[in-house]
Amino acid sequence: MADDLNKQENNQKIESTSQNTSTKIYSDDNIDVTTYKCPNCGGETFFDPKVQKIHCLYCGSMFEIENKTIATERNLTELLESGNVWTEAEVYQCKTCGAKEILNSQEVSIKCPFCGTNNIIKTEELPGLKPQGITPFKLDKNQTSQIATKWAKKKLYAPRDFKKSVKPENIQGVYNPVFTFDAQTDSTYNGTLGKNYTTYRYINGKRVACTETRYFNISGLQTVTFDDILIQASSTIPTKIVNKIEPFPTKKAVEYKTEYLRGYFANTYNKSGQECWNECKTIMNSTIERQILKRYDYDIKLSLNIQTSFMNEQYKYILVPIYVGHYNYKNKLYNFYVNGYNGKIGGKTPVSKIKISITILIGLLILVGFLLLMTYA
Ligand SMILES: [Zn+2]
Ligand SMILES: [Zn+2]
């Protein structure tokens, strides 16, 4: 109880109408992106995943982020025709690895999360659409470090000395851009499927089982409603890895506020809205096909034509939380990626050539043994 009271004392809610300059307003409209200073002490502040508030590193003050409404969907045409740009953000680029990030100028001294060098410069490029939603980080760097250590120690093919002294380095929170799409679909289809069956024939007086196929025509209507189909809008973090650490709870996204970016990087999207929507349609089309085929008992798909109309297409542009860090082993960096919401991890660790050779050798021995058995049995 006493603890709660203390917390309340610290949690000075930032009011939007305050004359006192020492309690500066932290709202989206009048935020000064170049200085994220604590109103109480002038120290640097950051978004603290543990308390889901803005936290001052120096005096410990915490500030709530106003307005936590769930991000709403927007009409797809807005995305495809959009020329909006996100005016309060700036694009920086790492000169070493080429990664493009959005961050505020005071953070430029930070090491690039992808290659670990200190070579980040501002570019002329505009940051593109402003996100409408964000899934804030839930795990902090300490928890991420523990997850990364545990994971590396469990890696079967990692060298023993690496596992013994594993130490995750340069852990940075990076918000990765995703589009989520909704749509209702109506499809008409026709096609030909085949079902196998067994008949018996007498060949030279012997009863022999034969497989034959009976073909039949299909046609009909199929309606599928899609909700929050997630498409990665940046390829800076390899899609394979992002897929591995999914899901990101886009349903839990809150309205985007610049405050959530404080202390973090944000990747710019490098795929167009149209490109992402096309990718999404491919996923939707294959789902529709699967749903249609599920209605039938068949073994062979000879042909299937589907005509689909898409309706009520909507999108959300959301930032999702990923921690990027690396292990340094024999002066080589191995990146790992942790879902900042649920702690799922993917990435690379060094591999021991000896361990792999032994595995291959054992595999070969088993194979040789098996072949010998087959030959002499
Ligand atoms: Zn402070
Ligand atoms: Zn870099």
Side-chain angles (χ1 to χ4, degrees):
M1 194 62 202
D3 208 38
D4 277 343
L5 282 173
N6 275 336
K7 256 191 216 154
Q8 268 172 17
E9 260 168 24
N10 270 338
N11 295 351
Q12 308 177 19
K13 187 143 162 65
I14 302 145
E15 283 162 29
S16 48
T17 49
S18 168
Q19 277 93 36
N20 193 339
T21 45
S22 71
T23 53
K24 198 180 153 194
I25 308 150
Y26 279 124
S27 82
D28 230 14
D29 314 320
N30 54 4
I31 195 153
D32 178 1
V33 282
T34 55
T35 56
Y36 287 135
K37 302 287 185 219
C38 170
N40 295 336
C41 76
E44 219 168 282
T45 61
F46 74 111
F47 173 73
D48 186 344
K50 272 207 162 139
V51 288
Q52 298 284 305
K53 282 169 194 166
I54 296 292
H55 197 161
C56 172
L57 290 168
Y58 298 91
C59 72
S61 299
M62 290 198 227
F63 306 97
E64 260 177 61
I65 299 172
E66 273 182 279
N67 200 354
K68 291 204 168 183
T69 48
I70 300 296
T72 48
E73 264 94 3
R74 288 181 193 159
N75 204 308
L76 182 69
T77 48
E78 247 178 76
L79 171 68
L80 303 182
E81 293 163 4
S82 182
N84 300 338
V85 284
W86 183 10
T87 48
E88 80 255 40
E90 288 168 337
V91 179
Y92 290 82
Q93 185 165 26
C94 172
K95 276 177 91 177
T96 310
C97 74
K100 279 186 187 153
E101 291 112 3
I102 291 166
L103 67 165
N104 43 70
S105 32
Q106 72 165 14
E107 286 169 326
V108 177
S109 57
I110 284 175
K111 279 183 186 169
C112 170
F114 301 101
C115 69
T117 63
N118 224 329
N119 211 359
I120 295 170
I121 53 150
K122 196 175 161 183
T123 74
E124 289 303 305
E125 213 169 309
L126 290 167
L129 279 176
K130 179 179 173 171
Q132 82 220 73
I134 186 163
T135 309
F137 277 90
K138 209 174 147 194
L139 303 176
D140 64 16
K141 284 188 187 178
N142 280 337
Q143 290 167 305
T144 306
S145 179
Q146 282 165 20
I147 289 167
T149 305
K150 227 168 144 186
W151 182 68
K153 282 189 190 292
K154 275 196 205 149
K155 281 273 165 176
L156 195 59
Y157 291 113
R160 192 170 298 216
D161 57 337
F162 164 75
K163 290 209 251 188
K164 235 179 157 178
S165 60
V166 62
K167 195 172 153 276
E169 290 175 356
N170 193 31
I171 295 175
Q172 308 265 3
V174 178
Y175 282 107
N176 213 37
V178 300
F179 286 108
T180 69
F181 295 100
D182 296 351
Q184 276 173 299
T185 61
D186 274 343
S187 311
T188 57
Y189 64 87
N190 59 67
T192 307
L193 305 179
K195 178 74 186 161
N196 293 338
Y197 63 97
T198 309
T199 55
Y200 295 92
R201 286 202 199 120
Y202 288 90
I203 298 167
N204 297 334
K206 252 184 158 180
R207 193 170 179 255
V208 181
C210 302
T211 301
E212 291 200 351
T213 308
R214 188 184 296 118
Y215 288 97
F216 55 98
N217 293 328
I218 58 166
S219 68
L221 301 169
Q222 179 72 44
T223 306
V224 186
T225 304
F226 294 94
D227 184 31
D228 269 10
I229 305 296
L230 191 145
I231 304 291
Q232 296 296 327
S234 162
S235 51
T236 305
I237 300 175
T239 311
K240 228 173 90 184
I241 283 175
V242 183
N243 289 343
K244 215 181 150 190
I245 63 173
E246 272 176 357
F248 292 97
T250 50
K251 287 270 173 240
K252 295 219 167 95
V254 294
E255 190 190 355
Y256 172 79
K257 291 268 165 181
T258 318
E259 285 95 322
Y260 291 111
L261 248 59
R262 222 173 291 171
Y264 303 87
F265 286 79
N267 274 333
T268 55
Y269 57 91
N270 51 19
K271 282 153 73 179
S272 70
Q274 184 68 57
E275 221 178 318
C276 293
W277 170 236
N278 289 347
E279 220 176 280
C280 177
K281 274 199 345 200
T282 309
I283 293 172
M284 289 177 172
N285 282 331
S286 58
T287 304
I288 293 166
E289 178 170 329
R290 263 202 321 276
Q291 297 262 345
I292 291 169
L293 289 173
K294 236 169 57 186
R295 295 172 152 194
Y296 302 98
D297 180 21
Y298 74 102
D299 297 304
I300 294 159
K301 184 184 91 181
L302 199 63
S303 70
L304 180 61
N305 305 307
I306 306 169
Q307 302 288 336
T308 299
S309 45
F310 291 83
M311 289 154 297
N312 300 329
E313 301 114 302
Q314 289 184 314
Y315 81 100
K316 275 193 289 190
Y317 173 29
I318 294 178
L319 299 178
V320 297
I322 298 175
Y323 278 111
V324 182
H326 58 240
Y327 310 104
N328 189 336
Y329 179 67
K330 295 186 172 165
N331 288 325
K332 225 183 138 198
L333 302 184
Y334 298 85
N335 277 5
F336 61 83
Y337 303 84
V338 178
N339 184 321
Y341 191 87
N342 65 20
K344 275 176 91 175
I345 181 168
K348 276 193 179 140
T349 56
V351 287
S352 156
K353 285 193 183 116
I354 295 168
K355 282 188 180 178
I356 288 195
S357 308
I358 290 171
T359 309
I360 293 172
L361 202 68
I362 290 171
L364 280 176
L365 284 176
I366 290 170
L367 190 71
V368 168
F370 183 72
L371 287 176
L372 284 175
L373 262 175
M374 295 287 284
T375 318
Y376 293 106

